[in-house]
Amino acid sequence: MPTPITDVDLTLAAELGQQLRVDSIRSSTSAGSGHPTSSMSAADLMAVLVGRHLRYDWDDPDNPANDHLIFSKGHASPLLYSIYKAVGVVSDEELMTGYRRFGSRLEGHPTPVLPWVDVATGSLGQGLPDGVGVALAGKYLDELPYRVWVLCGDSEMAEGSMWEALDKASYYKLANLVAIVDVNRLGQRGPTELSWDLDAYGRRAAAFGARVFAVDGHDVAAIDQALAEAGDVSGQQPAVILARTRKGRGFSEVEDREDWHGKPLPPEMAERAVIELGGERNLLVRGPRPPEGTLRRPAADAAEVKLPAYERGQKVATRRAYGDALVALGVRPDVVAMDGEVSNSTFADQFAHAYPQRYFEMYIAEQQMVAAAVGFGARGYRPFASTFAAFFTRAHDFIRMAAISRASICLVGSHAGVEIGADGPSQMALEDLAMLRAVHGSTVLYPSDATSAAALVLAMADLDGISYMRTTRGAYPVLYDAGETFPVGGAKVPRSADADQVTLVGAGVTLHECLAAAGQLAGEGISARVIDLYSVKPVDTATLAAAAAATGGRLVVAEDHHPEGGLGSAVVDAVTGAGRTDLAIVRLAVRQMPGSGTTRELLEASGISASHIAEAARRLLAED
Amino acid sequence: MPTPITDVDLTLAAELGQQLRVDSIRSSTSAGSGHPTSSMSAADLMAVLVGRHLRYDWDDPDNPANDHLIFSKGHASPLLYSIYKAVGVVSDEELMTGYRRFGSRLEGHPTPVLPWVDVATGSLGQGLPDGVGVALAGKYLDELPYRVWVLCGDSEMAEGSMWEALDKASYYKLANLVAIVDVNRLGQRGPTELSWDLDAYGRRAAAFGARVFAVDGHDVAAIDQALAEAGDVSGQQPAVILARTRKGRGFSEVEDREDWHGKPLPPEMAERAVIELGGERNLLVRGPRPPEGTLRRPAADAAEVKLPAYERGQKVATRRAYGDALVALGVRPDVVAMDGEVSNSTFADQFAHAYPQRYFEMYIAEQQMVAAAVGFGARGYRPFASTFAAFFTRAHDFIRMAAISRASICLVGSHAGVEIGADGPSQMALEDLAMLRAVHGSTVLYPSDATSAAALVLAMADLDGISYMRTTRGAYPVLYDAGETFPVGGAKVPRSADADQVTLVGAGVTLHECLAAAGQLAGEGISARVIDLYSVKPVDTATLAAAAAATGGRLVVAEDHHPEGGLGSAVVDAVTGAGRTDLAIVRLAVRQMPGSGTTRELLEASGISASHIAEAARRLLAED
């Protein structure tokens, strides 16, 4: 590599801005796809940032002292990748032949398959919340002076999650977070709500506790000054730079024009654009290096974790076991916890009391909570985030994107299903298993007792990807001895005999109903096998298939969930996925809209209680 | 019923506030569950509102001129139901024996099983966005002077959706919307972020375009004045009343104390509280009546709709057919449309151009978009809301709650699956079918051609509950003649013969791959039946079971979706749900994290193309 220019003055920064525009056009035109105009509006902002302010060791993206650069407006990927060319980590050839091509790491929107990308973006309104997580880690855990610079679009300021992010950034005094809003006034299909009304944006950002800088986003000197001031981490407030820009800036045929969102320039037009922008350039630059800094975080040592022990028969809610186990896990310095203002229900409060410096109250902002978890994960921490299981639906898009971010985060949802009783359907998770099972690479756990819950919390702490545990409100008898192992992907068979005629499958509250049903059936001379399907994904196909084979294909699955996508689906998917099957299955699930009531009333009315399970088993046997 | 007091002066309003407190305590104590303290903080606000400002005909909740009262803080249901007692529509007996009981309409959180409730609440941060929808209907469609009063909690101001709501309320100049924020400073597990800092709340609300009133929420005169001013609809701004209140107000043992969230008072304590509050009362009051107003909306006449016609073989994207059909539906005056700032991609823009007065641009705020749809639905309109299918995950909690609201809303998601190509995984819906199938009472449609898409859009307009259509980015050949019928719950069999050995099931892009695979197999002497599963829920069990029976139980399902909860699940659920089955099924789905590429490259790499379908069929036949 030729020697890069390390002393980027403002004149050179302006030149660099033009290069970024030219390369954004060239790459997207070569791909026949992409967002050149949304890149061109932010080119000067990024040129000054990368050339003069971003402290980044491009040869060592894992340097803990590096600043972070997140493109919340992920569709400006041509700009980001053109920056990578300008600093010499991506070649012009890769840019021109890789962008948006099959098998390439230069995807349509940035993902962490690139070593310089912290989090996947492309669903708007997520990069800034993710950045809050990284900044929280920097200020409170890493205790390093890095800054988190987030390039935001103006359109995405309509997403409530952006305001959750600013709210938390100001609550947690994240002076190390800088949102740079590219106010180019044009969204996909026309003008934005606030157009170029920087005052309106400014009033909002200031009211949410930010230091606000309004600049002409094409004036490199003004940008430089704003970045210098915004990047000062000595204060207590996050910074928001509002940059008035022009979409497609620099090419008169598209600049500030509608109908040029997300469209590459046709080749002839791209040629004219490059000429108007002064031609191709191959500036190679490097901005400031990070300060020397070492991470003081000690290595995690799972061996030290001493799980809580429960006595068989003792009634303990699995949500309480979550809290107990999380405290036990706290000896691992990488474990952090968050909750959505219900920690006294989820029992995350136990961790908050034991390890207050690693607990972050996210109040009622589930989107920001999951985004913060992703940010912590990007910094190498192991985040556990909890709320009522129903309210993880609020963060579905963030969970989906977390999977694309290749994040390893642990989510724990309490108060699942009709089991919760009187609070009614708004608080009853009845679709969480379907949601989490459909997340790429996810693990979905649903323990039935405190021993397995605690063991699985420990297992979650070392799983890759998105892991989810569903816990239960009520206290039910401990079924397993302390020390019993619960491998992810396994199942338990708490009741079985050679003469079993039918298999009953449950998890959580319905496992206890299955056990009761098996007891009833035994009294009638019917031998039933019971499977505790604590690992809903991956699922123990071998145990299920063996049970189906042993019991004439007769299966009853009972779940405190809607009939689609949950436990029953996991079972059917498993047994039908392993080759030709002869199956007689009854799936009991919550098929009517529940109201309030006691747990017992609602389990009965929903048809998932022991009596319904036993009746289904009898029916299957009678039908044969 | 005794004659109610209709002239509620401030002295009486204060008395009424005490009654509401007493009844909130009595009802929750009798139920052994509920939120008395969160009700007590807002009792004076509601007493003055209901007694002196809310224009409501309690004997005719369907009166179109009625004001609307939404409890965004749904956990204050004891207060709401105590109001219903005070106006004489719920008896003291029902309140005392029904609240939170099984089978009762007085559920833990309000739902529209009660005729005075517009929308279900209980997931915080949703009542105000719902109210924006009702207010939009009032101002722009009903053109009636009703006001929408929304009681909000202070904790829920941490939800970004509340700021999406204020943003849209000010953008659409909804002077008919009043948010009353009960700032009692205490959340579930402790103080809120902003405590009693009314100035901070006020700056935020003002910056988002609201008229702001700050009052002592226990000073009935101050409340009265604020409500009078806030309820003036002559301006152009929504109103936010910030009321400084004390949680548990009026009972010294709990007032402004932590650890009293969501807990009923034990009976002895409740007795002391009632004494301290001055004892039980049975005031019967009626506030102002609504002005005479009639709804000018003409009745819907589906017969007038003339669907677009396409020629077989013509290549038309189903998303374009959505736009065409929506315009055709526009002759129905109850049809309204919304989009999340991608209407030129979803083709909702066609409706926007044809019926601008019934199109509402929601910008990039999917939560608010779905909430607005629920609000329109509450006013009797038939809303269609569209965005990229992936981004409906952003509104999952709102969709879930819409089902509890018994809302009938139509959602249309475009750009599904890897089929979209170069944009990459952030834009690829790969979990939308799982999400929507698991919604209670939902309908999930996934047409493969323009003819069926248009017909199904028409069908959606008369479906109860949440209906969802997944559309496709690319243009594929029209398969069916205009006029062909596509009943919801049906399926088409575009290719079948008596000698069929295997059944191929697809929808959307994979149906075209199934047809191509069947063609390949025919060349090898293998006869394959093809099923177009345009109705994913409800699903055509009879057609699937018949096909399975006719083809030796051999099924191949291909879907542009993750393997969990989508098309394959729908098929397996159907065929295993109808009794003992002998099944050999292969499910092809997107199992790896996709990147960018062409449609063809990504279908191939994901293993859901014609060649993979044909290979799976051959494998099934070879295994037998």
Side-chain angles (χ1 to χ4, degrees):
Chain A
M1 189 167 89
T3 310
I5 305 166
T6 54
D7 179 20
V8 179
D9 64 16
L10 289 178
T11 309
L12 191 68
E15 271 297 293
L16 180 59
Q18 295 294 79
Q19 171 173 319
L20 297 177
R21 289 189 173 91
V22 167
D23 288 342
S24 295
I25 291 168
R26 291 172 63 234
S27 56
S28 51
T29 292
S30 79
S33 166
H35 294 72
T37 57
S38 299
S39 296
M40 293 159 81
S41 57
D44 297 316
L45 294 163
M46 291 300 101
V48 179
L49 176 68
V50 170
R52 295 173 54 85
H53 298 276
L54 183 80
R55 301 180 192 140
Y56 200 90
D57 183 349
W58 290 100
D59 299 320
D60 182 12
D62 292 330
N63 185 329
N66 278 342
D67 277 359
H68 292 261
L69 173 59
I70 296 173
F71 266 42
S72 194
K73 53 176 290 184
H75 55 289
S77 55
L79 175 60
L80 184 63
Y81 303 156
S82 296
I83 290 170
Y84 294 159
K85 170 192 153 181
V87 298
V89 295
V90 160
S91 69
D92 191 70
E93 189 193 349
E94 182 177 2
L95 185 65
M96 294 297 289
T97 61
Y99 182 52
R100 287 181 167 242
R101 308 309 201 282
F102 182 72
S104 164
R105 60 182 184 167
L106 303 183
E107 296 184 15
H109 294 75
T111 72
V113 298
L114 291 164
W116 317 283
V117 171
D118 290 302
V119 292
T121 52
S123 178
L124 288 168
Q126 301 209 14
L128 188 62
D130 291 344
V132 167
V134 177
L136 280 169
K139 181 178 173 91
Y140 293 100
L141 302 174
D142 291 340
E143 297 182 43
L144 289 172
Y146 59 73
R147 287 87 53 90
V148 183
W149 308 87
V150 184
L151 178 65
C152 307
D154 49 352
S155 278
E156 68 179 321
M157 301 308 284
E159 286 282 13
S161 55
M162 298 298 272
W163 301 98
E164 292 183 16
L166 286 177
D167 176 54
K168 286 298 167 298
S170 91
Y171 180 79
Y172 280 110
K173 306 186 193 310
L174 300 180
N176 55 349
L177 181 73
V178 184
I180 305 169
V181 188
D182 176 20
V183 187
N184 66 24
R185 91 166 181 89
L186 290 174
Q188 171 173 326
R189 44 89 276 165
T192 59
E193 281 175 291
L194 293 177
S195 186
W196 271 324
D197 190 349
L198 264 59
D199 288 344
Y201 284 114
R203 282 192 298 274
R204 294 181 182 191
F208 272 73
R211 294 176 290 150
V212 175
F213 305 85
V215 298
D216 172 347
H218 303 305
D219 176 341
V220 290
I223 295 167
D224 191 56
Q225 192 184 335
L227 290 172
E229 293 180 29
D232 174 4
V233 303
S234 64
Q236 301 287 312
Q237 293 177 281
V240 172
I241 297 174
L242 298 167
R244 181 184 160 122
T245 61
R246 292 165 73 85
K247 200 160 176 172
R249 167 74 172 190
F251 180 38
S252 51
E253 295 180 37
V254 301
E255 182 172 322
D256 194 36
R257 301 239 184 131
E258 294 192 32
D259 296 324
W260 276 103
H261 178 94
K263 293 178 186 167
L265 306 184
E268 334 73 65
M269 211 170 160
E271 229 170 273
R272 292 196 298 277
V274 172
I275 291 169
E276 187 174 333
L277 287 161
E280 286 182 36
R281 294 162 181 80
N282 283 292
L283 292 172
L284 186 65
V285 302
R286 286 286 169 100
R289 287 184 51 82
E292 295 303 313
T294 50
L295 205 55
R296 294 175 306 169
R297 188 165 76 231
D301 181 358
E304 295 174 21
V305 178
K306 285 211 178 95
L307 282 182
Y310 306 98
E311 298 213 356
R312 258 170 110 132
Q314 184 188 357
K315 286 193 176 179
V316 184
T318 52
R319 61 183 169 126
R320 182 180 293 278
Y322 167 61
D324 295 344
L326 192 62
V327 169
L329 260 183
V331 296
R332 276 180 50 161
D334 61 330
V335 169
V336 301
M338 280 158 284
D339 192 89
E341 222 273 305
V342 291
S343 61
N344 52 342
S345 289
T346 60
F347 285 99
D349 61 353
Q350 296 192 36
F351 187 92
H353 296 138
Y355 298 99
Q357 73 284 12
R358 280 188 272 130
Y359 176 80
F360 297 88
E361 178 56 57
M362 302 310 290
Y363 297 92
I364 307 183
E366 296 83 4
Q367 298 184 112
Q368 176 57 67
M369 180 173 72
V370 171
V374 171
F376 282 122
R379 289 297 311 134
Y381 293 93
R382 171 60 62 158
F384 281 78
S386 52
T387 183
F388 282 22
F391 303 143
F392 274 114
T393 54
R394 197 64 156 259
H396 189 171
D397 197 23
F398 286 77
I399 298 168
R400 178 181 80 85
M401 289 296 298
I404 303 176
S405 287
R406 280 71 172 173
S408 291
I409 63 175
C410 304
L411 309 176
V412 178
S414 70
H415 291 71
V418 303
E419 191 272 348
I420 68 162
D423 272 327
S426 63
Q427 322 292 301
M428 295 170 174
L430 289 164
E431 52 288 290
D432 56 321
L433 298 176
M435 173 174 76
L436 269 305
R437 282 182 70 239
V439 169
H440 180 78
S442 65
T443 301
V444 179
L445 305 168
Y446 186 14
S448 302
D449 88 331
T451 300
S452 53
L456 291 166
V457 171
L458 181 60
M460 285 172 86
D462 290 311
L463 290 176
D464 285 334
I466 315 300
S467 59
Y468 173 68
M469 176 180 287
R470 185 190 227 213
T471 67
T472 302
R473 178 173 178 273
Y476 296 90
V478 172
L479 301 171
Y480 304 104
D481 288 324
E484 177 96 31
T485 58
F486 298 87
V488 171
K492 291 286 171 191
V493 188
R495 183 171 182 134
S496 74
D498 288 346
D500 288 339
Q501 297 157 277
V502 60
T503 301
L504 315 179
V505 186
V509 66
T510 61
L511 189 266
H512 295 274
E513 298 298 313
C514 286
L515 288 168
Q520 291 177 22
L521 292 168
E524 303 163 22
I526 299 173
S527 183
R529 183 166 302 190
V530 176
I531 295 182
D532 172 359
L533 207 71
Y534 64 81
S535 182
V536 182
K537 179 186 173 189
V539 71
D540 188 342
T541 301
T543 296
L544 287 168
T551 60
R554 287 180 289 271
L555 294 177
V556 179
V557 188
E559 59 184 320
D560 195 357
H561 188 276
H562 286 154
E564 301 87 4
L567 205 64
S569 278
V571 171
V572 177
D573 290 0
V575 293
T576 62
R580 186 172 283 273
T581 31
D582 177 31
L583 196 66
I585 186 166
V586 175
R587 286 164 63 171
L588 306 176
V590 180
R591 293 174 193 274
Q592 304 299 318
M593 177 63 74
S596 292
T598 64
T599 297
R600 183 49 49 197
E601 286 167 339
L602 292 167
L603 292 176
E604 292 295 344
S606 303
I608 57 174
S609 68
S611 60
H612 290 89
I613 296 166
E615 182 51 33
R618 284 183 212 108
R619 205 162 63 235
L620 279 179
L621 287 163
E623 277 167 9
D624 267 6
Chain B
M1 190 168 90
T3 309
I5 305 166
T6 53
D7 178 22
V8 180
D9 64 16
L10 290 177
T11 308
L12 191 68
E15 270 299 293
L16 179 59
Q18 294 295 79
Q19 172 173 319
L20 297 177
R21 289 188 173 91
V22 168
D23 288 342
S24 295
I25 291 168
R26 292 171 63 234
S27 56
S28 51
T29 292
S30 78
S33 166
H35 295 73
T37 58
S38 299
S39 297
M40 293 159 80
S41 57
D44 297 316
L45 293 164
M46 291 301 101
V48 179
L49 176 68
V50 171
R52 294 174 54 84
H53 298 276
L54 183 79
R55 300 179 192 141
Y56 198 91
D57 183 348
W58 290 100
D59 299 320
D60 181 12
D62 292 330
N63 184 329
N66 278 343
D67 278 358
H68 293 261
L69 173 59
I70 296 173
F71 267 41
S72 195
K73 53 175 290 185
H75 55 288
S77 55
L79 176 60
L80 184 63
Y81 303 156
S82 296
I83 290 171
Y84 295 159
K85 170 192 153 180
V87 298
V89 295
V90 160
S91 69
D92 191 69
E93 189 193 349
E94 181 176 3
L95 185 65
M96 293 298 289
T97 62
Y99 182 52
R100 287 180 167 243
R101 306 311 201 283
F102 181 72
S104 164
R105 61 182 183 168
L106 302 183
E107 296 185 15
H109 294 76
T111 72
V113 298
L114 290 163
W116 318 283
V117 171
D118 290 301
V119 292
T121 53
S123 178
L124 289 168
Q126 300 209 14
L128 188 61
D130 291 344
V132 166
V134 177
L136 280 170
K139 181 179 172 91
Y140 292 100
L141 301 175
D142 291 340
E143 297 182 45
L144 289 171
Y146 59 72
R147 288 86 52 90
V148 183
W149 308 87
V150 184
L151 179 65
C152 307
D154 49 353
S155 279
E156 69 179 322
M157 300 308 284
E159 287 282 13
S161 55
M162 297 298 271
W163 302 97
E164 293 183 17
L166 286 177
D167 176 54
K168 286 298 167 297
S170 93
Y171 180 79
Y172 280 110
K173 306 187 193 309
L174 300 179
N176 54 349
L177 181 73
V178 184
I180 305 169
V181 188
D182 176 19
V183 187
N184 65 24
R185 92 166 180 90
L186 291 174
Q188 170 172 326
R189 44 89 276 165
T192 59
E193 282 176 291
L194 293 177
S195 187
W196 271 324
D197 190 349
L198 264 59
D199 288 343
Y201 284 114
R203 282 192 298 274
R204 294 181 182 191
F208 272 73
R211 294 175 291 151
V212 175
F213 305 84
V215 298
D216 172 347
H218 303 306
D219 175 340
V220 290
I223 295 167
D224 191 56
Q225 192 184 335
L227 290 173
E229 292 180 30
D232 174 3
V233 302
S234 65
Q236 302 286 313
Q237 293 178 281
V240 172
I241 297 174
L242 299 167
R244 181 185 161 121
T245 62
R246 293 165 72 86
K247 201 160 175 170
R249 167 75 171 190
F251 180 38
S252 51
E253 295 181 37
V254 300
E255 183 172 322
D256 194 35
R257 301 241 183 130
E258 294 192 32
D259 296 325
W260 276 103
H261 178 95
K263 294 177 185 166
L265 306 184
E268 335 75 64
M269 212 171 159
E271 229 170 273
R272 292 197 298 276
V274 172
I275 292 168
E276 187 175 332
L277 287 161
E280 286 181 36
R281 295 162 181 81
N282 284 293
L283 292 172
L284 186 65
V285 303
R286 287 286 168 101
R289 287 183 51 82
E292 295 303 312
T294 51
L295 204 55
R296 294 176 306 170
R297 188 164 74 232
D301 181 358
E304 295 174 22
V305 178
K306 283 209 180 100
L307 283 182
Y310 307 98
E311 297 213 357
R312 260 172 108 133
Q314 183 188 359
K315 286 193 175 179
V316 184
T318 52
R319 60 184 170 125
R320 183 180 293 277
Y322 167 61
D324 295 344
L326 192 62
V327 169
L329 260 182
V331 297
R332 277 180 50 161
D334 61 330
V335 169
V336 301
M338 280 158 284
D339 192 90
E341 221 274 304
V342 291
S343 60
N344 52 343
S345 290
T346 60
F347 285 99
D349 61 353
Q350 296 193 36
F351 186 91
H353 296 138
Y355 297 98
Q357 73 284 13
R358 279 187 272 129
Y359 176 80
F360 297 89
E361 178 56 57
M362 301 311 289
Y363 297 92
I364 308 183
E366 296 82 4
Q367 297 184 111
Q368 177 57 69
M369 179 172 71
V370 171
V374 171
F376 282 123
R379 288 298 310 134
Y381 294 93
R382 170 60 62 157
F384 281 77
S386 51
T387 183
F388 282 22
F391 303 143
F392 274 114
T393 55
R394 197 64 156 260
H396 189 169
D397 197 22
F398 287 76
I399 298 169
R400 178 182 79 86
M401 289 296 297
I404 304 176
S405 287
R406 279 70 171 172
S408 291
I409 63 175
C410 304
L411 309 177
V412 178
S414 69
H415 291 71
V418 302
E419 192 270 349
I420 67 161
D423 272 327
S426 64
Q427 321 292 302
M428 294 171 175
L430 290 164
E431 51 289 289
D432 56 321
L433 298 177
M435 172 174 76
L436 269 303
R437 281 182 72 237
V439 169
H440 179 78
S442 64
T443 300
V444 179
L445 305 168
Y446 186 14
S448 301
D449 88 332
T451 301
S452 53
L456 291 166
V457 172
L458 180 61
M460 286 172 86
D462 290 310
L463 290 175
D464 285 334
I466 315 298
S467 59
Y468 173 67
M469 176 180 287
R470 185 190 228 213
T471 65
T472 302
R473 178 173 177 274
Y476 296 89
V478 172
L479 301 171
Y480 304 104
D481 289 324
E484 178 95 30
T485 58
F486 298 87
V488 170
K492 290 286 171 191
V493 188
R495 184 171 182 135
S496 74
D498 287 346
D500 287 340
Q501 298 157 277
V502 60
T503 301
L504 315 180
V505 186
V509 66
T510 60
L511 189 267
H512 296 274
E513 299 298 312
C514 286
L515 288 168
Q520 291 176 22
L521 292 167
E524 302 163 23
I526 299 173
S527 182
R529 183 167 300 191
V530 176
I531 295 182
D532 172 359
L533 208 69
Y534 65 81
S535 182
V536 181
K537 179 186 174 189
V539 72
D540 188 342
T541 301
T543 295
L544 288 168
T551 61
R554 287 180 288 271
L555 294 177
V556 179
V557 188
E559 59 182 319
D560 194 358
H561 188 275
H562 286 152
E564 301 86 6
L567 204 64
S569 278
V571 171
V572 176
D573 290 0
V575 293
T576 62
R580 185 172 283 274
T581 31
D582 176 30
L583 196 65
I585 186 165
V586 176
R587 287 164 62 170
L588 306 177
V590 180
R591 293 173 193 274
Q592 305 299 318
M593 177 64 73
S596 291
T598 64
T599 297
R600 181 51 47 198
E601 286 167 339
L602 293 167
L603 293 176
E604 291 295 345
S606 303
I608 57 173
S609 68
S611 61
H612 291 90
I613 296 167
E615 181 52 32
R618 283 183 213 108
R619 204 162 65 236
L620 279 179
L621 286 163
E623 277 168 8
D624 266 6

